[in-house]
Every structure is written in structure tokens, then in C-alpha cells.
Amino acid sequence: MDYHNIINPLQICGFFLTKVASLCLEVLSTVLMKKTLRYLAGVAGPSGYGSNSTAEQVTEASTSWSHFPSQLTAIVTGATSGIGAETARVLAKRGVRIIIPARNLGKAGDVKDKILRESPKAEVIVLEIDLSSFTSIRRFCSEFISLDLPLNILINNAGVFSQKMEFSEEKIEMTFATNYLGHYLLTEMLMEKMIETAAESGIQGRIINVSSVIHSWVNKETFCFSKMLSPRSYNGTRAYSQSKLATILHAKELARQLKARNARVTINAVHPGIVKTGIVRAHKGFITDSIYFLASKLLKTVSQGASTTCYVALSPQVEGVSGKYFADCNETSCSAMANDEREARRLWRHTRLLIHMQLRHQ
């Protein structure tokens, strides 16, 4: 018998699996290519905006907010530079009262002066805060409440990225303490004020957590609450991506709780995009210049980076939308883990317990 002419069933399976895998990779490659081309071209999504839209462009249609009897008030963390400063500038230009919580009051004062030069009638208030410190957050909230102002919008934008392991005054890893825990506590302490404002004004309150696409780099095995508080080994990128995943899970769980309370307050997470910074090319040459040119096309300007935050904060199209994830001014999908409701509830419980234990000792 000629065994070479007999086809082994395993060979058949292997052949088809190879073909299927190849086809899947081809489809995936095509999808990614289409997404990349749409991104580069700035093709508008269902909202009418895309990756090239600026913060000013996406808020031009928000003039419908002007008919409300009271001025909107927004707290914007991390507004001393970058997309936070641009977010504050554009919202102020649209008539929103801006509260800038800042650790560096000098830089915050500079941002305020710049806003007032462009929009002389704007109202900008600077208050001190250190988002890595629970004591400082409580003091800020007390000072803000004492101003007896409404609170319509809370933008949790501030973020740190550290290459070396540092700890907050509560002995918590600094990136996690600032990017996630600080905003969690800030939101919790201001929540009743937002619900009260929404009920009295009839204007839906909006909370925006600024996250990042890098949240998708985290897997379930490494996402451990105790290890994030005090990691045995430190990696700056990992710490940052974990904190950004936590901000989405925070938005998902809080959206569920607000809905259960029938509160007129929504919360969503946004990815601002990768924003242009002072990239310095130390070497010249065709290859280096070509790579820089291609990379620069994938980066956003500061105004483009602030657009999604401003869109979710003011657009009438986002009315009633909560617990979602936005990029390029359109609702989009986040990672499977970021959509895990059980993980979101677990993180919420651990966080609440930790913070209340810390506050009891202060």
C-alpha cells in the first residue's frame, strides 16, 4: 500500500486551521488598515467629528446650552498644561465657569491669565490640590463647597507617568494614587453636589474620566489591587496602563450606580489620542526623517487631543449617555476587561474600603 497517497485527518485539520488563521490575520490587517486610513484622513464618525476635529470645532454646536438659566460650572483637573489647559480654555470660551485645582498655583495662574486675555468675561477660579494626597483632596472639596457654586461638569483629566517607583503620603504607589485613587475620592466627595445641582437646575451633570487606549495592554492576571498599591517590581508603562484601566472600570461601575439612583448625572471615559509633544530628533537622515514623518501623522495637536473631552462635556448628542468609552469624539469599544462588570464592582469595593480606612486614620 502506498502510504504517501493517504491523507492524514490531522493534516487536513492542520491545513484548514492554517488557512483560517491566515484568513483571520488578513481580515484583521485589512480592518486595522481601514481604521488607520480613516484616522489619518480624519474621516468623521456618527457624531460628525473625527480624529482631526479640534476642541473649538466640536463645541461650536453646543450653543444650545446657552438657553439654560444658570451658568455652567466645570472642574478640570490637570489644567495647568497640555490638553487640560486647552479643555479649560475652550470651555471658558463657551461661557463655562472654570475651576482649576492645581498643585502648582503659579502655573495655574498663568493658565488663568491666558484664558482671561482671550475671554475677558470668563470666570476662572484657582484652588490648591495635590491629587496624590487624600488630605489635600478633602481640603479642596471643602473649599469648593464653601464657594456655594453649582457643579455641572467634573473632568478627571490629571495624570502622571513616572519611570521610577514613588509613593504618596499614604504610602501608595504614586501613579495609581494620582491617576485613579485621587480622582475616585474627588468624584465621591463631589457627587452629592453634582446630583443636587442637576436636580435644582434641570441640567444633566456630566463626569468625564480621561483614560487611554493603553488600558488594553493590561491582562487579568496582572491586575491585582494590592500589587497596584505597592508593587514588588515597578514598570512605569504597566503602572500607567493599570491606572487608566481603573479609570474606565470606575466610570462603568459609577454609571450603573447613578442609573440605579435615577440621578441626572452621567459618567463616561475618553481616550484623547496620542498628543504631539516636544519630540526631538537627535539624528538626521532619510530613515529617521521618514519614521518621524509617519509617526507625526498619527499624533494629534493639543486642540485635537482635547476635542473628545470637550465633546463629551458639552455636546447635546451625548445627553443621557453614560458608562461608555469615547475616542475621536465617537463612542467606541474598549477592552474586554474594561467591560467586565464583576471586575468593576470588585475594584470599586476594594477602593472604597481602602479610602475609608485611610480617612479614618486622618
Side-chain angles (χ1 to χ4, degrees):
M1 183 179 290
D2 188 358
Y3 288 97
H4 294 287
N5 292 327
I6 299 176
I7 301 176
N8 191 313
L10 291 177
Q11 290 178 313
I12 297 175
C13 290
F15 174 78
F16 279 109
L17 286 174
T18 301
K19 287 294 184 182
V20 170
S22 177
L23 180 60
C24 287
L25 287 172
E26 186 176 333
V27 171
L28 180 60
S29 177
T30 302
V31 170
L32 290 174
M33 180 61 74
K34 287 182 178 179
K35 284 187 175 182
T36 301
L37 290 174
R38 286 176 62 86
Y39 177 88
L40 291 173
V43 176
S47 68
Y49 305 107
S51 61
N52 291 346
S53 301
T54 66
E56 290 202 22
Q57 289 171 344
V58 304
T59 55
E60 284 174 351
S62 63
T63 53
S64 60
W65 286 72
S66 62
H67 73 272
F68 288 113
S70 59
Q71 181 185 28
L72 297 178
T73 301
I75 292 177
V76 185
T77 71
T80 57
S81 63
I83 62 174
E86 177 67 2
T87 299
R89 181 189 73 82
V90 172
L91 294 186
K93 189 173 183 177
R94 301 306 179 206
V96 180
R97 179 191 291 115
I98 302 296
I99 312 296
I100 300 180
R103 185 171 56 179
N104 188 324
L105 297 181
K107 291 180 68 175
D110 291 341
V111 172
K112 176 180 178 177
D113 291 342
K114 183 178 179 180
I115 291 173
L116 293 177
R117 282 197 297 271
E118 181 182 7
S119 306
K121 294 183 179 180
E123 186 176 353
V124 183
I125 300 171
V126 173
L127 296 175
E128 187 174 12
I129 195 173
D130 178 352
L131 276 166
S132 71
S133 165
F134 294 165
T135 301
S136 179
I137 294 168
R138 294 176 73 186
R139 183 165 53 244
F140 164 82
C141 291
S142 178
E143 290 179 8
F144 172 74
I145 296 299
S146 69
L147 296 176
D148 197 27
L149 294 172
L151 181 56
N152 309 94
I153 303 167
L154 172 61
I155 299 177
N156 293 320
N157 167 80
V160 299
F161 179 96
S162 178
Q163 291 287 5
K164 61 179 182 178
M165 183 152 62
E166 300 176 281
F167 289 92
S168 69
E169 64 183 42
E170 281 88 13
K171 310 303 180 187
I172 298 169
E173 190 278 312
M174 187 66 77
T175 301
F176 194 64
T178 305
N179 296 0
Y180 168 62
L181 292 176
H183 284 126
Y184 176 103
L185 178 58
L186 181 69
T187 303
E188 182 173 89
M189 297 197 72
L190 294 175
M191 182 53 62
E192 294 308 315
K193 183 64 177 179
M194 292 198 73
I195 294 173
E196 174 189 306
T197 298
E200 291 178 352
S201 66
I203 305 171
Q204 182 184 78
R206 300 188 185 187
I207 304 168
I208 296 96
N209 282 358
V210 178
S211 183
S212 169
V213 70
I214 202 175
H215 80 271
S216 61
W217 294 9
V218 183
N219 58 56
K220 200 161 189 173
E221 289 69 32
T222 61
F223 195 71
C224 174
F225 189 75
S226 60
K227 290 180 181 178
M228 288 186 285
L229 295 177
S230 183
R232 294 179 181 177
S233 61
Y234 182 76
N235 177 286
T237 302
R238 181 177 61 228
Y240 185 80
S241 60
Q242 288 174 336
S243 71
K244 290 304 180 180
L245 172 60
T247 64
I248 300 178
L249 292 171
H250 173 226
K252 296 283 185 179
E253 174 58 16
L254 185 53
R256 184 191 68 80
Q257 294 183 17
L258 289 168
K259 183 178 180 180
R261 292 181 61 178
N262 291 318
R264 290 205 64 191
V265 177
T266 63
I267 178 169
N268 292 288
V270 305
H271 166 53
I274 310 302
V275 180
K276 286 181 182 177
T277 55
I279 298 176
V280 179
R281 286 175 292 170
H283 304 286
K284 295 289 183 180
F286 175 76
I287 295 178
T288 304
D289 288 349
S290 297
I291 292 173
Y292 177 80
F293 174 78
L294 291 172
S296 68
K297 298 305 176 185
L298 296 173
L299 301 178
K300 290 187 173 187
T301 65
V302 171
S303 188
Q304 290 169 342
S307 63
T308 305
T309 301
C310 290
Y311 171 77
V312 177
L314 288 185
S315 175
Q317 297 181 60
V318 190
E319 181 79 16
V321 177
S322 193
K324 303 300 181 181
Y325 177 69
F326 288 79
D328 299 330
C329 302
N330 287 276
E331 186 181 328
T332 188
S333 58
C334 51
S335 71
M337 191 169 174
N339 273 321
D340 190 329
E341 293 182 5
R342 292 178 61 186
E343 194 66 49
R345 293 186 188 186
R346 184 184 300 114
L347 178 64
W348 180 277
R349 288 195 300 269
H350 286 320
T351 305
R352 188 175 179 83
L353 179 62
L354 168 74
I355 287 179
H356 282 254
M357 286 178 61
Q358 289 283 346
L359 295 181
R360 278 203 299 267
H361 290 95
Q362 291 183 358

